[in-house]
Amino acid sequence: ALYLGHGAPPLLEDPEWMGQLGGWAAGLPKPSSILIVSAHWQTAPMALSATRPVPLVYDFYGFPQHYYDLTYDAPGAPDLAAKVKGLMPSSEPVLERETRGLDHGAWVPLMAMYPDADVPVLQMSMPDLDPKRLYEVGQRLAPLRGEGVLIIGSGFLTHGLPFIREYFMGKPGAPQWSIDFDDWAREALEAGDLDTLFDFRHKAPGMPYAHPTVEHFAPLFVTLGAVARPDDAPTFPIEGFAYGLSQRSFETR
């Protein structure tokens, strides 16, 4: 189970970032399929993306045309979709969105990690942004890990885009609020302190600058729910900052 920072499409041209994600995937057992939850899809009831190949979702604006010409033709995952629906209680309906392709929170990191697009992929929406509910969803998905399914929460550990203009203009380093939030999250994750993580809006230093809206932190809770034991210390294959934002990503096995 992974949580990663997915970045915008131009990061596909960043050799360091591509090397980090590609190297990370190379060190993992090849999954039978991938279930990914992205910061960019929230809908209730919970929904699953198309179980057959359909065009990608180009949910970004103002970029050069070649980013809108990218494709990622991974196989669909209808068997995985059926298993996901079977793991949810009757009180948690799951819709199928047959025409919705993968959004950039899914296909950008997958292009870096599995460029051959030879692993079936299914995307699942977040029904809301409540940490405890997302954690419970992750707990229900946990049995899939025993079948070789890779569960990915895709967001960004800090995402204060309104407050990093100077870093986009080339300023090195990161703002203190991003550094403080990153340190806090690392310590809480290493300690398996779920109560603190659940209450990040009030307990995390750097808020609300680190997350003026919280959808990029929320997928982390699906990942944590899918962990065998919350106190299993994660490893951090990717750390550091890009444009002032924390790239910290983690895995648990």
Side-chain angles (χ1 to χ4, degrees), residues 50-58 69-77 101-102 106-108 110-111 114-122:
T51 55
R52 54 185 172 80
V54 297
L56 300 176
V57 177
Y58 302 96
D69 297 331
L70 293 171
T71 59
Y72 188 75
D73 298 322
L102 304 173
W107 61 260
V108 166
L110 292 179
M111 285 185 73
Y114 299 98
D116 293 335
D118 58 350
V119 179
V121 178
L122 182 71

Side-chain angles (χ1 to χ4, degrees), residues 27-49:
L28 297 171
K30 188 170 182 178
S32 61
S33 56
I34 296 170
L35 178 62
I36 190 164
V37 177
S38 159
H40 298 283
W41 193 18
Q42 178 191 344
T43 185
M46 192 162 58
L48 301 175
S49 66

Side-chain angles (χ1 to χ4, degrees), residues 217-228:
F217 195 59
L220 174 144
F221 295 105
V222 178
T223 299
L224 289 178
V227 172

